Amino acid sequence: MFGSSRSLHVQKFGGSKRPERLIRVFRSGPRRPESVWYIFAMATKVLTAFAMVLAIALMSMQVLGQTATHKPPAAGQGTTHTGTNSKSIAPASPTVAAPNAAQGTSAPADQSMFPLEEQQPHVVAAPPIVASPPWQFRDQITWGANLVLVVLGYVGIMLAVSTLKKIERGSRSVELAATAAADSAQAALLNAQAIMDAGRPWLLMSILPSQDAENSFAIMATNRGRSPARIVGTAEQIIFAIDEAHLARTPEYPSEELTAPLVPIILMPGESVEIKPFSREDLKSICDSEETLRSIENWEEKVYIYGKVIYRDLTAPPEKPTNETAWCCWYIHGRQKSGLVFAGPPDYNMHT
C-alpha cells in the first residue's frame, strides 16, 4: 500500500537491556518523470523571481543609504576649507582706529599702513556635509511590507495565468465535446432517415415483352420496398425527336392533372402492375401523317415515350408527401422487328 519499506535497527543506549526498536520507514511509489520535472520547473521559476525581487530591493537600499539630503547654511555663516578640514569663522567686522594707550592720543586708521599679508583672508561659502540619517525601524517595516506585497502580487499573477490557461483548456474541451455531440446527432438523424427510407416502398420500372402478341411491350411498375404502396395517379406523353439532345431539359406534359386509376391499385412488396402497353400497330395511330411514319421507318426521327407514377406509403401519415418515379423509353422501329428500351436524360428517369 505504501510501496517498498525498509527496516532500520537502533542501537542500544548506555548498555541498557531495553529491546531494540524496529522503525519502518515507508516510502511512496515512484513518481512519474513528467510530474517531477514539472514540479521542479515551477519551484525554480518561483525561486528565480523571488531572487530577482530581493536583489532589486537590496540595490534600492544601497542607493537610498548613499543619497544624502543637503541643508543650506544659515545666514551670516561661512566655512573655510584647508585641505580636508573645514572650520567656521565669524564674518569680518569693519576696521576701526585703535587707541594709543601710551601717548593718550588717537590716530586715524590707515589700511595702507598694514601689509597685505595681514589683511583678512578670502572666504568661500560652501554647504556643510550632513551625514545620512540612520535607517529607521519604520522604514524597515515599510520596505518589508512592500517586498511581501511584490511577492504576493507575483504569486497572484502566476495563479491567475494558470487559472486562465485551465479555463481555456476547459472551454476548448467543451467546444470539442459540443461539436462531437452535434456530429453524433446528425449521424443519428441520417441513420434514422436511412432506416425510414429502407422501410418505405420503392416503385421501379421495367419493360416486359408481351407473351400474346408479337412486337408488343408492357411498361411495368414493381414495388421493391418493404412496405405496401398505393398508386395515386399517372402521367404519360409520346413525342418525336431526332435524338436525346433535342428533348426538353425537363419532361413536359400536356396537363398538370394526373390520371387517377379507375380502381385503387395497392402494391405489396414484390408485386407489379402494368402502367403503359405499346405495340408496333400503335405507331400508325400516333403518327399524324405518312411523312412522319416514313421518317420513323427511315430512322430520321425517334419515338420517345415518357411518364411518371405518383404513389404513397400506406404506413405513413396522410400529411407525408407523396413519392414519384419517372421513366422514359425509346421505341425502336425495325423492318420486321421492334424494340423498346429505357433512354432519356436523368430528369426523365428520377426517383423521389
Side-chain angles (χ1 to χ4, degrees), residues 113-295:
M113 297 175 61
F114 299 95
L116 295 176
E117 290 78 3
E118 295 181 2
Q119 293 184 0
Q120 295 183 359
H122 181 69
V123 179
V124 178
I129 299 177
V130 181
S132 60
W135 198 22
Q136 302 295 332
F137 181 70
R138 180 178 179 181
D139 297 336
Q140 297 178 3
I141 294 177
T142 302
W143 180 85
N146 293 333
L147 180 61
V148 172
L149 290 178
V150 170
V151 174
L152 292 178
Y154 175 78
V155 173
I157 292 174
M158 296 301 297
L159 291 177
V161 171
S162 177
T163 304
L164 291 177
K165 290 182 178 179
K166 292 180 180 179
I167 293 175
E168 182 181 3
R169 289 194 295 267
S171 61
R172 190 176 303 171
S173 301
V174 171
E175 183 179 357
L176 293 177
T179 303
D183 295 341
S184 300
Q186 185 68 20
L189 180 61
L190 294 177
N191 188 20
Q193 186 66 31
I195 293 174
M196 293 177 61
D197 293 340
R200 52 159 282 190
W202 288 91
L203 295 187
L204 301 180
M205 310 305 294
S206 61
I207 300 174
L208 296 178
S210 178
Q211 301 294 333
D212 301 333
E214 189 178 3
N215 295 326
S216 180
F217 308 93
I219 300 174
M220 308 293 293
T222 305
N223 185 6
R224 299 298 183 183
R226 297 184 179 180
S227 59
R230 182 172 66 88
I231 296 179
V232 177
T234 60
E236 58 186 44
Q237 181 67 17
I238 300 176
I239 61 173
F240 303 98
I242 299 175
D243 52 13
E244 294 182 5
H246 291 78
L247 294 176
R249 187 170 184 179
T250 57
E252 299 176 355
Y253 299 95
S255 176
E256 295 182 358
E257 296 181 359
L258 299 176
T259 302
L262 298 178
V263 294
I265 301 176
I266 297 177
L267 299 178
M268 300 301 292
E271 293 184 347
S272 302
V273 65
E274 182 180 322
I275 299 298
K276 173 68 177 176
F278 193 80
S279 63
R280 190 181 181 91
E281 286 72 15
D282 295 334
L283 181 60
K284 297 179 180 180
S285 62
I286 63 175
C287 293
D288 52 357
S289 62
E290 292 293 335
E291 295 179 359
T292 304
L293 180 59
R294 192 176 300 108
S295 63

Side-chain angles (χ1 to χ4, degrees), residues 78-136:
T79 57
T80 58
H81 298 277
T82 306
T84 57
N85 297 327
S86 62
K87 58 182 180 178
S88 300
I89 61 173
S93 58
T95 303
V96 294
N100 192 354
Q103 298 179 1
T105 61
S106 62
D110 190 359
Q111 295 182 358
S112 59
M113 297 175 61
F114 299 95
L116 295 176
E117 290 78 3
E118 295 181 2
Q119 293 184 0
Q120 295 183 359
H122 181 69
V123 179
V124 178
I129 299 177
V130 181
S132 60
W135 198 22
Q136 302 295 332

Side-chain angles (χ1 to χ4, degrees), residues 23-105:
I23 301 175
R24 296 184 177 272
V25 180
F26 297 94
R27 298 186 305 172
S28 60
R31 293 181 176 269
R32 296 178 59 185
E34 295 82 356
S35 303
V36 173
W37 282 111
Y38 177 76
I39 295 173
F40 179 75
M42 294 301 295
T44 304
K45 183 187 295 185
V46 174
L47 292 177
T48 303
F50 182 76
M52 292 177 62
V53 173
L54 185 60
I56 294 174
L58 292 176
M59 292 176 62
S60 63
M61 290 174 54
Q62 296 178 0
V63 172
L64 182 63
Q66 294 178 0
T67 303
T69 56
H70 300 279
K71 294 182 180 181
Q77 296 182 358
T79 57
T80 58
H81 298 277
T82 306
T84 57
N85 297 327
S86 62
K87 58 182 180 178
S88 300
I89 61 173
S93 58
T95 303
V96 294
N100 192 354
Q103 298 179 1
T105 61

